[in-house]
Amino acid sequence: MKAEGSALETATARRFSGPPPRRLSQIFEDLAKNAKTAITMEQLRDALGDRSFATLLVFFALLNLLPLPPGSTLVLGVPLLLVSMQMVLGRKTVWLPRTILTKSVGVDQFRQMSERLVPRVRWVERLIRPRYWPFADRRVDRMVGLFALLLSTVITLPIPFGNWLPALACALLGLALSERDGLLLGTAVAVGLFSFALIAIIIGSAGALAAFFLF
């Protein structure tokens, strides 16, 4: 049964998305191996290619999952809005301010970082892989971007306990898009919809309490 399931996953991935994209661990490993000078953010973005959106979506979403002081999401949610909005507009590469693109990391420092990062990324890649991807073209990027934009908007709102689940959903969306994992995409959408329902309950309860005490 397991072999049949694996064969079905492989056949589905080939049917809808063609050859699987180069894995993130391989991208970082090749950059570290071939680097001659400092690695800039622009080089990293270009190396990621069409995966730059998914990778940055995960990165900025993870920042919003950190236990930071109240109100931090008002700032940290903005990069998520920027990335997801560009996905909706159909851009092929992420636009970032020039001041960010010119930031660089030394060769030795980047290699040390890659040595720590790549094994962890490979561990994640064993769990997430191309399977059951139901889309045959790049329109999915805009669809995922639209859902991420809605989640990012919620993240920036000052809602008590209302930011963590949308940020988690954004991170899962980025991982699913990066690896063309249909199962993870479904999970991400479910988490996102649950977060919307939960926030609606929180806002509704707060409104009911306010009305009770005021009237």
Side-chain angles (χ1 to χ4, degrees):
M1 292 294 293
K2 185 176 180 180
E4 291 178 3
S6 299
L8 179 59
E9 291 174 11
T10 302
T12 305
R14 288 176 179 173
R15 164 68 180 83
F16 288 110
S17 58
R22 197 159 58 118
R23 312 215 83 175
L24 291 176
S25 59
Q26 188 63 52
I27 291 173
F28 280 104
E29 197 171 46
D30 290 346
L31 272 174
K33 180 180 178 181
N34 300 322
K36 299 291 192 297
T37 58
I39 303 293
T40 65
M41 279 295 297
E42 186 171 16
Q43 287 177 292
L44 182 59
R45 181 199 64 181
D46 293 343
L48 290 169
D50 61 357
R51 306 182 82 172
S52 58
F53 284 102
T55 304
L56 291 176
L57 197 64
V58 174
F59 176 73
F60 291 126
L62 290 178
L63 288 180
N64 283 277
L65 288 173
L66 296 175
L68 297 171
S72 299
T73 53
L74 290 172
V75 177
L76 295 177
V78 173
L80 275 174
L81 286 170
L82 181 64
V83 171
S84 57
M85 194 175 298
Q86 291 180 69
M87 292 174 69
V88 174
L89 293 174
R91 288 184 61 90
K92 297 191 180 299
T93 56
V94 178
W95 175 87
L96 292 171
R98 197 68 198 169
T99 53
I100 295 179
L101 289 176
T102 54
K103 298 292 183 183
S104 63
V105 179
V107 175
D108 293 337
Q109 186 179 0
F110 186 82
R111 284 174 179 163
Q112 291 173 5
M113 181 182 68
S114 296
E115 288 174 1
R116 294 193 299 268
L117 179 64
V118 167
R120 292 175 172 81
V121 173
R122 282 180 176 159
W123 182 83
V124 172
E125 288 173 343
R126 284 199 292 269
L127 303 176
I128 304 170
R129 57 189 181 277
R131 55 186 169 181
Y132 306 117
W133 192 249
F135 306 102
D137 55 32
R138 291 184 56 86
R139 281 181 297 180
V140 64
D141 291 21
R142 293 191 174 191
M143 296 169 61
V144 170
L146 180 60
F147 195 53
L149 182 60
L150 295 174
L151 291 167
S152 303
T153 302
V154 172
I155 289 171
T156 59
L157 299 177
I159 303 172
F161 311 108
N163 309 113
W164 198 87
L165 276 177
L168 175 62
C170 268
L172 295 177
L173 279 176
L175 289 171
L177 183 61
S178 175
E179 295 297 332
R180 300 297 190 262
D181 190 335
L183 289 182
L184 187 60
L185 179 65
T187 302
V189 171
V191 172
L193 293 176
F194 178 74
S195 71
F196 290 149
L198 185 61
I199 289 167
I201 292 172
I202 292 172
I203 294 175
S205 300
L209 284 174
F212 176 79
F213 286 108
L214 289 175
F215 301 101

